[in-house]
Amino acid sequence: MITLPPDYRPSEDEEFMNPQQVEYFRLKLLKWRTDLLKEADETLASLSEGGIHEADITDRASVETDRALELRTRDRARKLISKINQALQRIEAGTYGYCEETGEPIGLKRLEARPIATLSIEAQERHERMERIHRDD
């Protein structure tokens, strides 16, 4: 088990995915997942408080729209939690931080911005170009 200094940030000067970097991203993913699960619990509590009690039809429609939006947001969070779990599995397997397509390092800046990334920027751009080409067909 590695203990990181409180101000630790991965650096390009270090060996890529050294134990400190792996632990840094593991903790970052775990915190993100915890935050999402806490928000989901709060949403569930809010939605289970009961039905819509608004007498005015406009107010009722507004409340229903808010609930529908909240449910869509929770669904996106659920999918994100799944991706976070997959990233944590890649950490356990020793493949985290490396492009699933090329095997090259994804890069610290990209992982810092999107810790669940599975493709390098170049591979992601190729993937998106192919999607556009096939979508236009």
Side-chain angles (χ1 to χ4, degrees):
M1 189 77 172
I2 294 170
T3 304
L4 297 176
D7 60 343
Y8 176 79
R9 286 277 184 260
S11 162
E12 299 288 342
D13 298 335
E14 303 172 280
E15 178 188 345
F16 186 71
M17 285 298 119
N18 66 50
Q20 290 84 4
Q21 288 182 1
V22 171
E23 181 65 6
Y24 171 83
F25 285 109
R26 189 182 77 77
L27 292 174
K28 184 177 183 107
L29 289 162
L30 288 171
K31 181 181 182 328
W32 193 10
R33 183 176 68 184
T34 299
D35 292 347
L36 288 168
L37 289 170
K38 182 179 167 196
E39 289 172 16
D41 287 345
E42 291 169 2
T43 299
L44 189 58
S46 155
L47 291 175
S48 64
E49 285 175 359
I52 299 171
H53 303 292
E54 309 301 328
D56 181 62
I57 194 158
T58 305
D59 290 341
R60 185 174 296 181
S62 177
V63 169
E64 286 178 12
T65 300
D66 290 347
R67 283 186 172 197
L69 179 62
E70 187 64 32
L71 288 172
R72 279 197 306 275
T73 302
R74 287 302 119 229
D75 188 51
R76 277 197 289 272
R78 181 185 55 78
K79 291 174 184 171
L80 189 52
I81 289 168
S82 174
K83 289 181 179 185
I84 291 170
N85 289 336
Q86 290 170 5
L88 290 166
Q89 289 172 346
R90 288 192 303 279
I91 285 175
E92 291 300 314
T95 59
Y96 180 81
Y98 294 92
C99 179
E100 289 183 344
E101 203 171 273
T102 65
E104 296 292 316
I106 290 175
L108 292 175
K109 288 181 183 175
R110 177 158 169 76
L111 288 172
E112 190 70 52
R114 187 157 175 82
I116 58 173
T118 60
L119 299 173
S120 65
I121 290 176
E122 296 81 13
Q124 182 69 40
E125 287 172 349
R126 273 195 308 276
H127 181 72
E128 289 172 4
R129 273 195 304 274
M130 292 303 290
E131 277 184 346
R132 277 194 298 272
I133 291 169
H134 292 294
R135 185 178 59 218
D136 293 342
D137 288 347

